Structures are given as C-alpha cells and as structure tokens.
Amino acid sequence: DCVTSVGYSPDGQHIVSGSGDKTVRVWDATTNEALHTLAGHSDCVTSVAFNPDCRHVVSGSKDKTVRVWDATTGEALRTLEGHGGSVTSVGCSPDGRCIVSGSDDNTMRVWNATTGEALHTLEGH
C-alpha cells in the first residue's frame, strides 16, 4: 500500500511512516530496519509525527481518530476521538504537552498529550 506520511524523530535516530494499509511503522534510521509495526487504525493512516522527546509517535487516520503510541515498545497508549471526519494532519507542541490534529470536518483540535483530553476546538477553515 502507498506510504502517506513520513517523519524523522527529533534526534534523527528513527523514522516513522504511515500507510494506506492502516499501519504505522517505526524504522531505525541507521540500519533501515523496521522496528515496530503499529496496528490499531481501522482505515488509512494519513499523518504521523514524533513527540519532541522521541518517546511517542502520534498518528491520524481516515477512521477519524488520533492515536498515541510508545515509540520504543510499539504499544498503543491512547485513542483520541472527537473529529467528525478523517484526520488529515497531526503534530506535537514543542514542549510535547499538546497534540494538534486537523480534519476534513473543517476543525483543528488541541489535545492534552498525557490524558488525551480535548482542550480546544478551532474552527474557521
């Protein structure tokens, strides 16, 4: 399946990729080895990002969810729900305390990265 999103970890040690096969993969940037395949989304993964401390990966999907994963173990940590459409973009705040997601429901949501609580919904696009 097609690769839909990629990114480096802030320390340059790992690469994360999202795919149309509904998975996220974490790669070793030196050996090019796939370290983890993260499964849990029920539709295409559209966006991926590393948290600034390199410990977590965030993914967004056409299944309308944002997921947070442990980048070291591959464990699913939490699922963030609230968008009314496909999640098209995800990112992390510079301090790692918040996650932001964009959706084709014409909103952006800001989430607490630790608890998964939705903090704000921004509209206007």
Side-chain angles (χ1 to χ4, degrees):
D1 280 83
C2 67
V3 176
T4 56
S5 184
V6 294
Y8 267 98
S9 61
D11 64 6
Q13 298 299 306
H14 297 94
I15 297 170
V16 63
S17 62
S19 173
D21 70 0
K22 308 174 192 173
T23 67
V24 175
R25 291 197 178 160
V26 178
W27 305 81
D28 184 300
T30 303
T31 66
N32 302 319
E33 176 186 356
L35 302 174
H36 302 290
T37 299
L38 315 178
H41 283 292
S42 62
D43 206 338
C44 176
V45 175
T46 55
S47 186
V48 293
F50 264 96
N51 168 289
D53 68 7
C54 303
R55 294 184 338 180
H56 300 109
V57 169
V58 178
S59 59
S61 169
K62 287 185 178 181
D63 68 8
K64 306 178 186 177
T65 68
V66 175
R67 291 183 182 255
V68 182
W69 312 85
D70 184 300
T72 304
T73 66
E75 176 186 2
L77 300 176
R78 65 191 60 77
T79 301
L80 314 181
E81 298 178 299
H83 278 294
S86 298
V87 176
T88 55
S89 185
V90 296
C92 297
S93 63
D95 63 7
R97 295 172 64 184
C98 293
I99 295 166
V100 64
S101 56
S103 170
D104 67 8
D105 67 4
N106 302 322
T107 69
M108 295 176 290
R109 290 180 182 259
V110 179
W111 312 84
N112 179 302
T114 303
T115 66
E117 175 188 2
L119 301 174
H120 308 286
T121 299
L122 295 82
E123 299 181 39
H125 270 285

mmCIF file of all heavy atoms in Angstrom, residues 4-37:
data_model
loop_
_atom_site.group_PDB
_atom_site.id
_atom_site.type_symbol
_atom_site.label_atom_id
_atom_site.label_comp_id
_atom_site.label_asym_id
_atom_site.label_seq_id
_atom_site.Cartn_x
_atom_site.Cartn_y
_atom_site.Cartn_z
ATOM 1 N N THR A 4 1.766 7.274 3.097
ATOM 2 C CA THR A 4 1.020 8.534 3.095
ATOM 3 C C THR A 4 1.670 9.643 3.905
ATOM 4 O O THR A 4 1.370 10.812 3.693
ATOM 5 C CB THR A 4 -0.397 8.301 3.645
ATOM 6 O OG1 THR A 4 -0.273 7.710 4.947
ATOM 7 C CG2 THR A 4 -1.195 7.371 2.738
ATOM 8 N N SER A 5 2.549 9.292 4.821
ATOM 9 C CA SER A 5 3.169 10.297 5.680
ATOM 10 C C SER A 5 4.451 9.733 6.269
ATOM 11 O O SER A 5 4.518 8.541 6.584
ATOM 12 C CB SER A 5 2.208 10.689 6.805
ATOM 13 O OG SER A 5 2.747 11.717 7.604
ATOM 14 N N VAL A 6 5.465 10.593 6.413
ATOM 15 C CA VAL A 6 6.748 10.171 6.988
ATOM 16 C C VAL A 6 7.319 11.289 7.849
ATOM 17 O O VAL A 6 6.939 12.451 7.699
ATOM 18 C CB VAL A 6 7.781 9.810 5.893
ATOM 19 C CG1 VAL A 6 7.346 8.591 5.108
ATOM 20 C CG2 VAL A 6 8.027 10.983 4.968
ATOM 21 N N GLY A 7 8.217 10.933 8.741
ATOM 22 C CA GLY A 7 8.898 11.938 9.547
ATOM 23 C C GLY A 7 10.067 11.337 10.306
ATOM 24 O O GLY A 7 10.078 10.137 10.589
ATOM 25 N N TYR A 8 11.047 12.188 10.608
ATOM 26 C CA TYR A 8 12.182 11.796 11.442
ATOM 27 C C TYR A 8 11.871 12.085 12.901
ATOM 28 O O TYR A 8 11.157 13.041 13.221
ATOM 29 C CB TYR A 8 13.425 12.611 11.080
ATOM 30 C CG TYR A 8 14.317 11.961 10.049
ATOM 31 C CD1 TYR A 8 14.228 12.330 8.721
ATOM 32 C CD2 TYR A 8 15.255 11.001 10.409
ATOM 33 C CE1 TYR A 8 15.055 11.758 7.770
ATOM 34 C CE2 TYR A 8 16.080 10.420 9.478
ATOM 35 C CZ TYR A 8 15.983 10.802 8.150
ATOM 36 O OH TYR A 8 16.800 10.228 7.216
ATOM 37 N N SER A 9 12.462 11.303 13.791
ATOM 38 C CA SER A 9 12.446 11.650 15.213
ATOM 39 C C SER A 9 13.345 12.870 15.392
ATOM 40 O O SER A 9 14.299 13.065 14.623
ATOM 41 C CB SER A 9 12.933 10.478 16.065
ATOM 42 O OG SER A 9 14.268 10.128 15.726
ATOM 43 N N PRO A 10 13.067 13.706 16.387
ATOM 44 C CA PRO A 10 13.901 14.900 16.595
ATOM 45 C C PRO A 10 15.389 14.601 16.793
ATOM 46 O O PRO A 10 16.218 15.428 16.450
ATOM 47 C CB PRO A 10 13.297 15.543 17.842
ATOM 48 C CG PRO A 10 11.864 15.143 17.783
ATOM 49 C CD PRO A 10 11.894 13.720 17.263
ATOM 50 N N ASP A 11 15.720 13.411 17.297
ATOM 51 C CA ASP A 11 17.130 13.066 17.485
ATOM 52 C C ASP A 11 17.748 12.429 16.241
ATOM 53 O O ASP A 11 18.933 12.101 16.224
ATOM 54 C CB ASP A 11 17.317 12.162 18.702
ATOM 55 C CG ASP A 11 16.646 10.800 18.563
ATOM 56 O OD1 ASP A 11 16.104 10.470 17.480
ATOM 57 O OD2 ASP A 11 16.648 10.051 19.558
ATOM 58 N N GLY A 12 16.949 12.222 15.195
ATOM 59 C CA GLY A 12 17.453 11.665 13.947
ATOM 60 C C GLY A 12 17.696 10.169 13.954
ATOM 61 O O GLY A 12 18.173 9.612 12.967
ATOM 62 N N GLN A 13 17.356 9.489 15.046
ATOM 63 C CA GLN A 13 17.643 8.061 15.175
ATOM 64 C C GLN A 13 16.586 7.157 14.529
ATOM 65 O O GLN A 13 16.866 6.010 14.200
ATOM 66 C CB GLN A 13 17.782 7.687 16.650
ATOM 67 C CG GLN A 13 18.911 8.398 17.352
ATOM 68 C CD GLN A 13 20.262 8.069 16.743
ATOM 69 O OE1 GLN A 13 20.626 6.915 16.605
ATOM 70 N NE2 GLN A 13 20.990 9.103 16.353
ATOM 71 N N HIS A 14 15.375 7.682 14.376
ATOM 72 C CA HIS A 14 14.275 6.868 13.865
ATOM 73 C C HIS A 14 13.472 7.611 12.807
ATOM 74 O O HIS A 14 13.495 8.843 12.746
ATOM 75 C CB HIS A 14 13.344 6.457 15.013
ATOM 76 C CG HIS A 14 14.016 5.596 16.025
ATOM 77 N ND1 HIS A 14 14.592 6.125 17.166
ATOM 78 C CD2 HIS A 14 14.249 4.270 16.062
ATOM 79 C CE1 HIS A 14 15.136 5.134 17.859
ATOM 80 N NE2 HIS A 14 14.953 4.008 17.212
ATOM 81 N N ILE A 15 12.771 6.842 12.001
ATOM 82 C CA ILE A 15 11.833 7.361 11.013
ATOM 83 C C ILE A 15 10.492 6.725 11.306
ATOM 84 O O ILE A 15 10.414 5.556 11.694
ATOM 85 C CB ILE A 15 12.292 7.016 9.585
ATOM 86 C CG1 ILE A 15 13.632 7.683 9.280
ATOM 87 C CG2 ILE A 15 11.235 7.402 8.553
ATOM 88 C CD1 ILE A 15 14.283 7.210 7.994
ATOM 89 N N VAL A 16 9.420 7.483 11.143
ATOM 90 C CA VAL A 16 8.072 6.947 11.298
ATOM 91 C C VAL A 16 7.364 7.098 9.958
ATOM 92 O O VAL A 16 7.574 8.076 9.242
ATOM 93 C CB VAL A 16 7.300 7.645 12.444
ATOM 94 C CG1 VAL A 16 7.107 9.114 12.168
ATOM 95 C CG2 VAL A 16 5.971 6.955 12.707
ATOM 96 N N SER A 17 6.545 6.102 9.611
ATOM 97 C CA SER A 17 5.783 6.164 8.366
ATOM 98 C C SER A 17 4.356 5.693 8.612
ATOM 99 O O SER A 17 4.107 4.833 9.457
ATOM 100 C CB SER A 17 6.438 5.308 7.276
ATOM 101 O OG SER A 17 6.474 3.940 7.642
ATOM 102 N N GLY A 18 3.432 6.281 7.860
ATOM 103 C CA GLY A 18 2.035 5.872 7.888
ATOM 104 C C GLY A 18 1.658 5.379 6.510
ATOM 105 O O GLY A 18 2.231 5.828 5.501
ATOM 106 N N SER A 19 0.674 4.479 6.454
ATOM 107 C CA SER A 19 0.378 3.828 5.186
ATOM 108 C C SER A 19 -1.110 3.596 4.965
ATOM 109 O O SER A 19 -1.899 3.578 5.905
ATOM 110 C CB SER A 19 1.118 2.484 5.150
ATOM 111 O OG SER A 19 0.765 1.722 4.028
ATOM 112 N N GLY A 20 -1.431 3.380 3.708
ATOM 113 C CA GLY A 20 -2.786 3.004 3.335
ATOM 114 C C GLY A 20 -3.188 1.639 3.855
ATOM 115 O O GLY A 20 -4.377 1.302 3.839
ATOM 116 N N ASP A 21 -2.236 0.849 4.355
ATOM 117 C CA ASP A 21 -2.573 -0.472 4.909
ATOM 118 C C ASP A 21 -3.033 -0.393 6.365
ATOM 119 O O ASP A 21 -3.142 -1.399 7.042
ATOM 120 C CB ASP A 21 -1.409 -1.453 4.761
ATOM 121 C CG ASP A 21 -0.216 -1.145 5.658
ATOM 122 O OD1 ASP A 21 -0.255 -0.153 6.426
ATOM 123 O OD2 ASP A 21 0.773 -1.895 5.591
ATOM 124 N N LYS A 22 -3.282 0.839 6.861
ATOM 125 C CA LYS A 22 -3.817 1.096 8.205
ATOM 126 C C LYS A 22 -2.777 0.977 9.317
ATOM 127 O O LYS A 22 -3.123 0.933 10.486
ATOM 128 C CB LYS A 22 -5.008 0.186 8.528
ATOM 129 C CG LYS A 22 -6.100 0.193 7.487
ATOM 130 C CD LYS A 22 -7.170 -0.833 7.818
ATOM 131 C CE LYS A 22 -8.100 -1.047 6.645
ATOM 132 N NZ LYS A 22 -9.031 -2.140 6.884
ATOM 133 N N THR A 23 -1.493 0.907 8.961
ATOM 134 C CA THR A 23 -0.456 0.743 9.983
ATOM 135 C C THR A 23 0.498 1.924 10.013
ATOM 136 O O THR A 23 0.595 2.715 9.077
ATOM 137 C CB THR A 23 0.386 -0.531 9.765
ATOM 138 O OG1 THR A 23 1.149 -0.386 8.563
ATOM 139 C CG2 THR A 23 -0.484 -1.776 9.721
ATOM 140 N N VAL A 24 1.207 2.004 11.138
ATOM 141 C CA VAL A 24 2.308 2.938 11.341
ATOM 142 C C VAL A 24 3.546 2.074 11.558
ATOM 143 O O VAL A 24 3.476 1.043 12.234
ATOM 144 C CB VAL A 24 2.053 3.821 12.589
ATOM 145 C CG1 VAL A 24 3.242 4.715 12.883
ATOM 146 C CG2 VAL A 24 0.777 4.628 12.416
ATOM 147 N N ARG A 25 4.666 2.488 10.985
ATOM 148 C CA ARG A 25 5.903 1.742 11.210
ATOM 149 C C ARG A 25 6.968 2.678 11.758
ATOM 150 O O ARG A 25 7.067 3.837 11.350
ATOM 151 C CB ARG A 25 6.391 1.087 9.931
ATOM 152 C CG ARG A 25 5.450 -0.026 9.524
ATOM 153 C CD ARG A 25 6.034 -0.962 8.539
ATOM 154 N NE ARG A 25 5.011 -1.999 8.293
ATOM 155 C CZ ARG A 25 4.980 -2.759 7.254
ATOM 156 N NH1 ARG A 25 5.904 -2.666 6.338
ATOM 157 N NH2 ARG A 25 4.025 -3.655 7.115
ATOM 158 N N VAL A 26 7.760 2.137 12.682
ATOM 159 C CA VAL A 26 8.911 2.844 13.233
ATOM 160 C C VAL A 26 10.151 2.137 12.712
ATOM 161 O O VAL A 26 10.274 0.912 12.826
ATOM 162 C CB VAL A 26 8.890 2.854 14.787
ATOM 163 C CG1 VAL A 26 10.123 3.546 15.334
ATOM 164 C CG2 VAL A 26 7.612 3.515 15.303
ATOM 165 N N TRP A 27 11.054 2.918 12.138
ATOM 166 C CA TRP A 27 12.249 2.403 11.479
ATOM 167 C C TRP A 27 13.505 2.917 12.176
ATOM 168 O O TRP A 27 13.518 4.040 12.665
ATOM 169 C CB TRP A 27 12.298 2.888 10.029
ATOM 170 C CG TRP A 27 11.089 2.570 9.213
ATOM 171 C CD1 TRP A 27 9.900 3.258 9.207
ATOM 172 C CD2 TRP A 27 10.927 1.506 8.298
ATOM 173 N NE1 TRP A 27 9.023 2.671 8.330
ATOM 174 C CE2 TRP A 27 9.621 1.593 7.748
ATOM 175 C CE3 TRP A 27 11.758 0.475 7.866
ATOM 176 C CZ2 TRP A 27 9.136 0.703 6.803
ATOM 177 C CZ3 TRP A 27 11.275 -0.422 6.921
ATOM 178 C CH2 TRP A 27 9.979 -0.307 6.398
ATOM 179 N N ASP A 28 14.559 2.101 12.162
ATOM 180 C CA ASP A 28 15.870 2.548 12.597
ATOM 181 C C ASP A 28 16.488 3.322 11.435
ATOM 182 O O ASP A 28 16.641 2.777 10.335
ATOM 183 C CB ASP A 28 16.743 1.345 12.965
ATOM 184 C CG ASP A 28 18.086 1.737 13.516
ATOM 185 O OD1 ASP A 28 18.846 2.421 12.784
ATOM 186 O OD2 ASP A 28 18.404 1.380 14.652
ATOM 187 N N ALA A 29 16.831 4.590 11.647
ATOM 188 C CA ALA A 29 17.334 5.436 10.565
ATOM 189 C C ALA A 29 18.756 5.073 10.138
ATOM 190 O O ALA A 29 19.186 5.459 9.055
ATOM 191 C CB ALA A 29 17.270 6.907 10.969
ATOM 192 N N THR A 30 19.469 4.317 10.958
ATOM 193 C CA THR A 30 20.834 3.919 10.614
ATOM 194 C C THR A 30 20.855 2.611 9.843
ATOM 195 O O THR A 30 21.513 2.495 8.811
ATOM 196 C CB THR A 30 21.693 3.783 11.887
ATOM 197 O OG1 THR A 30 21.659 5.030 12.589
ATOM 198 C CG2 THR A 30 23.131 3.425 11.554
ATOM 199 N N THR A 31 20.103 1.615 10.334
ATOM 200 C CA THR A 31 20.123 0.291 9.701
ATOM 201 C C THR A 31 19.011 0.104 8.678
ATOM 202 O O THR A 31 19.010 -0.887 7.945
ATOM 203 C CB THR A 31 19.970 -0.810 10.767
ATOM 204 O OG1 THR A 31 18.660 -0.719 11.352
ATOM 205 C CG2 THR A 31 21.035 -0.695 11.847
ATOM 206 N N ASN A 32 18.047 1.033 8.653
ATOM 207 C CA ASN A 32 16.872 0.946 7.769
ATOM 208 C C ASN A 32 15.956 -0.237 8.101
ATOM 209 O O ASN A 32 15.132 -0.638 7.290
ATOM 210 C CB ASN A 32 17.280 0.891 6.295
ATOM 211 C CG ASN A 32 18.093 2.098 5.902
ATOM 212 O OD1 ASN A 32 17.787 3.214 6.312
ATOM 213 N ND2 ASN A 32 19.143 1.881 5.129
ATOM 214 N N GLU A 33 16.100 -0.780 9.295
ATOM 215 C CA GLU A 33 15.282 -1.911 9.742
ATOM 216 C C GLU A 33 13.964 -1.412 10.338
ATOM 217 O O GLU A 33 13.944 -0.439 11.093
ATOM 218 C CB GLU A 33 16.046 -2.697 10.801
ATOM 219 C CG GLU A 33 15.271 -3.837 11.412
ATOM 220 C CD GLU A 33 16.017 -4.503 12.563
ATOM 221 O OE1 GLU A 33 17.169 -4.128 12.849
ATOM 222 O OE2 GLU A 33 15.418 -5.396 13.177
ATOM 223 N N ALA A 34 12.865 -2.087 9.988
ATOM 224 C CA ALA A 34 11.573 -1.796 10.615
ATOM 225 C C ALA A 34 11.595 -2.384 12.020
ATOM 226 O O ALA A 34 11.770 -3.593 12.192
ATOM 227 C CB ALA A 34 10.432 -2.388 9.800
ATOM 228 N N LEU A 35 11.420 -1.523 13.025
ATOM 229 C CA LEU A 35 11.476 -1.971 14.416
ATOM 230 C C LEU A 35 10.113 -2.385 14.940
ATOM 231 O O LEU A 35 10.008 -3.326 15.721
ATOM 232 C CB LEU A 35 12.046 -0.846 15.291
ATOM 233 C CG LEU A 35 13.429 -0.344 14.904
ATOM 234 C CD1 LEU A 35 13.810 0.855 15.761
ATOM 235 C CD2 LEU A 35 14.453 -1.465 15.033
ATOM 236 N N HIS A 36 9.067 -1.641 14.545
ATOM 237 C CA HIS A 36 7.710 -1.913 15.028
ATOM 238 C C HIS A 36 6.702 -1.624 13.930
ATOM 239 O O HIS A 36 6.856 -0.657 13.184
ATOM 240 C CB HIS A 36 7.347 -1.029 16.230
ATOM 241 C CG HIS A 36 8.263 -1.164 17.390
ATOM 242 N ND1 HIS A 36 8.305 -2.291 18.170
ATOM 243 C CD2 HIS A 36 9.178 -0.318 17.906
ATOM 244 C CE1 HIS A 36 9.217 -2.134 19.120
ATOM 245 N NE2 HIS A 36 9.758 -0.939 18.969
ATOM 246 N N THR A 37 5.683 -2.460 13.870
ATOM 247 C CA THR A 37 4.515 -2.181 13.053
ATOM 248 C C THR A 37 3.362 -1.964 14.018
ATOM 249 O O THR A 37 3.027 -2.845 14.808
ATOM 250 C CB THR A 37 4.201 -3.342 12.089
ATOM 251 O OG1 THR A 37 5.316 -3.513 11.217
ATOM 252 C CG2 THR A 37 2.951 -3.043 11.268
#
